[in-house]
């Protein structure tokens, strides 16, 4: 699917939700600089979330929920300062949620249905901290009260 042409660059809202679109979300979508609302939910999109979405500096609403997207949420999306509403729920995303105010201030429902996603605002802490704590507890010597001099 190619979304860029001279007519597309002025679009403010694109809603292709509830179709049967499949395949990757095109990188070229990042060229639609005037976009305020992008709703691609309830499709069969696969692949990664394109980092080029971070070029949509006027974007206020992004809904990529209920697709088959995988990989991580690009940290570059954290630079979208106007982004008020986002929904990544019910995909196959994984890894830590980027630490950006507008992303972490979202309701946890925006991220549910991605069993391998972790970090704020979800309750699941990311494995690095948990695993490090477990490893350290096994490495600590067990001291007993029976010391002989």
């Amino acid at each position: 699917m190619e979304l860029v042409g001279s007519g597309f660059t002025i679009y403010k809202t694109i809603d292709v939700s509830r179709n049967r679109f499949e395949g990757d979300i095109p990188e070229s979508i990042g060229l639609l600089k005037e976009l305020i609302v992008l709703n691609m939910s309830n499709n069969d999109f696969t692949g990664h979330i394109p980092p080029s979405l971070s070029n949509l500096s006027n974007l206020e609403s992004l809904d990529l929920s209920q697709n088959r997207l995988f990989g991580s949420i690009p940290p570059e999306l954290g630079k979208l300062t106007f982004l008020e509403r986002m929904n990544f729920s019910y995909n196959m995303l994984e890894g830590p949620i980027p630490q950006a105010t507008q992303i972490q201030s979202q309701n946890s429902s925006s991220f549910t249905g991605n069993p391998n996603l972790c970090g704020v605002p979800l309750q699941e802490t990311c494995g690095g901290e948990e695993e490090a704590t477990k490893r350290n507890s096994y490495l600590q010597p067990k001291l007993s009260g029976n010391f002989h001099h």
Side-chain angles (χ1 to χ4, degrees):
M1 169 169 41
E2 188 62 35
L3 289 177
V4 176
S6 59
F8 275 108
T9 57
I10 59 169
Y11 276 82
K12 302 282 188 198
T13 299
I14 293 182
D15 185 340
V16 294
S17 62
R18 300 188 187 283
N19 284 287
R20 293 190 179 135
F21 292 138
E22 54 187 38
D24 292 351
I25 296 173
E27 280 285 338
S28 58
I29 203 157
L31 298 172
L32 305 175
K33 304 248 189 249
E34 300 301 315
L35 211 54
I36 293 172
V37 175
L38 178 59
N39 186 349
M40 302 181 95
S41 65
N42 293 282
N43 281 292
D44 284 319
F45 286 114
T46 54
H48 291 47
I49 297 171
S52 66
L53 289 177
S54 65
N55 296 330
L56 305 176
S57 55
N58 294 317
L59 200 63
E60 295 176 12
S61 178
L62 173 63
D63 192 343
L64 301 177
S65 64
Q66 299 189 40
N67 281 289
R68 293 184 293 143
L69 299 169
F70 56 84
S72 60
I73 298 172
E76 296 90 340
L77 295 183
K79 72 179 191 180
L80 296 176
T81 54
F82 290 111
L83 197 55
E84 294 176 18
R85 182 185 175 278
M86 62 191 77
N87 192 344
F88 300 105
S89 64
Y90 300 100
N91 279 288
M92 296 178 284
L93 298 170
E94 59 187 40
I97 295 170
Q99 296 188 5
T101 305
Q102 62 276 27
I103 296 176
Q104 293 185 327
S105 64
Q106 298 295 307
N107 189 297
S108 62
S109 65
S110 294
F111 303 96
T112 58
N114 293 290
N116 296 318
L117 208 54
C118 60
V120 175
L122 295 175
Q123 299 296 321
E124 292 79 15
T125 57
C126 294
E129 297 168 17
E130 246 174 41
E131 292 304 313
T133 303
K134 282 182 192 171
R135 255 193 325 272
N136 287 340
S137 70
Y138 291 118
L139 294 176
Q140 295 297 321
K142 303 289 185 222
L143 297 178
S144 130
N146 300 330
F147 287 103
H148 299 335
H149 297 298

